[in-house]
Amino acid sequence: MSGDGEGDFSASWLALREPADAAARAAELVGELPGPVRTVRDLGCGTGSLGRWLSPRLPLPQHWIMTDRDPALLLRAAGDMPEGVTVSTQRRDVTELTAADLAGTDLVTCSALLDLLTAAEVERLAAVCAEARVAALFTLSVTGEVRLAPDDPLDTEIEAAFNEHQRRAEGGRRLLGPDAPEVAVAAFEKVGARVIVRPSAWRLGPALPALTAEWLRGWVAAALDQRPDLPVGDYVERRLASLPHASVGHQDVLAIFS
């Protein structure tokens, strides 16, 4: 799951973005995790890319509980973890997690998920983790900051419209979008956690042409969905003809309970 503008949680998109995700995550936060970490619950796990990144950085043995609403993604996640890591899956809505569900869990984690939640859902998740005294590592929450080089006069307008789209009301829920990291920090500090935040920006450009092009199309499409009158003209075509270097803002948040 992701709120980065692609509008697609398919296995093909998740595979395309996995190298950029792995390069962006703040690996230094792994060293701050309270140990030992033996059982990890991965929320909105997708194909398990976070597990493939994090599990080699933790000592064995490990057991991962992959949680998602998509059975096909759960199947992929369960079958593609490193040797020595055991996996179980749960098909469920991650917003319904309870403290009882976290019995025996050492770490709750997710990737590119918080921006798809509401403030109330993040606050509830913080309360559940606090009740269970389980650390939480949330990676790649979008911040809404996009920097392109070379720049273009339309960049700022597209960024603003995209961020409005990320904060849209959907099914009676107001999504957090780029406000997610700030809301998560406040929610976890309120329930007594020590919180550490680190930047984890995507670095895109000609070296990752397929991902950069797909992200660019999705970024502009979301902006146009929010503001159909946006005068983008041939913006996408010009950008695709000569891919820019792009920094797409994300943050990683670690919450620890003493």
Side-chain angles (χ1 to χ4, degrees):
M1 300 179 70
S2 170
D4 292 318
E6 73 288 343
D8 178 7
F9 307 141
S10 68
S12 60
W13 165 255
L14 296 175
L16 189 62
R17 64 174 288 167
E18 186 165 345
D21 287 348
R25 291 189 183 99
E28 66 205 76
L29 291 182
V30 178
E32 300 287 342
L33 292 173
V37 176
R38 302 300 187 199
T39 300
V40 182
R41 182 178 286 272
D42 189 3
L43 308 181
C45 64
T47 62
S49 66
L50 176 56
R52 289 187 289 277
W53 177 84
L54 181 56
S55 60
R57 292 170 166 79
L58 300 174
L60 295 174
Q62 291 172 47
H63 179 71
W64 283 66
I65 305 169
M66 299 294 192
T67 308
D68 206 292
R69 293 184 295 185
D70 187 324
L73 294 180
L74 285 172
L75 187 63
R76 290 279 296 271
D80 201 18
M81 286 288 280
E83 186 175 349
V85 178
T86 60
V87 180
S88 60
T89 62
Q90 281 193 350
R91 185 184 179 190
R92 65 176 300 176
D93 187 334
V94 300
T95 65
E96 298 173 354
L97 201 68
T98 68
D101 293 324
L102 297 184
T105 299
D106 302 306
L107 178 66
V108 169
T109 192
C110 71
S111 186
L113 174 66
L114 295 186
D115 38 295
L116 296 169
L117 302 181
T118 68
E121 288 164 351
V122 170
E123 289 162 0
R124 183 180 183 280
L125 180 58
V128 166
C129 290
E131 183 179 348
R133 313 308 288 176
V134 175
L137 175 62
F138 304 121
T139 70
L140 298 174
S141 291
V142 68
T143 66
E145 298 170 351
V146 173
R147 298 293 176 264
L148 299 172
D151 61 1
D152 184 283
L154 283 170
D155 293 347
T156 301
E157 285 188 80
I158 294 171
E159 178 187 289
F162 172 81
N163 289 338
E164 290 174 23
H165 183 268
Q166 294 298 91
R167 296 183 177 103
R168 68 192 180 277
E170 187 174 85
R173 300 166 61 247
R174 175 68 65 179
L175 306 186
L176 283 172
D179 300 323
E182 182 179 355
V183 169
V185 169
F188 275 87
E189 287 182 339
K190 184 177 180 180
V191 294
R194 178 170 68 91
V195 181
I196 307 171
V197 181
R198 293 291 183 270
S200 53
W202 267 1
R203 305 295 181 186
L204 306 181
L208 294 169
L211 176 59
T212 303
E214 192 67 15
W215 166 79
L216 184 64
R217 293 188 190 99
W219 186 57
V220 176
L224 282 171
D225 188 55
Q226 184 69 27
R227 281 190 52 198
D229 62 332
L230 204 62
V232 298
D234 64 349
Y235 177 91
V236 174
E237 290 73 19
R238 287 188 285 106
R239 284 305 203 181
L240 292 178
S242 181
L243 288 175
H245 293 273
S247 172
V248 183
H250 297 85
Q251 286 184 340
D252 291 359
V253 178
L254 172 62
I256 302 169
F257 298 95
S258 56

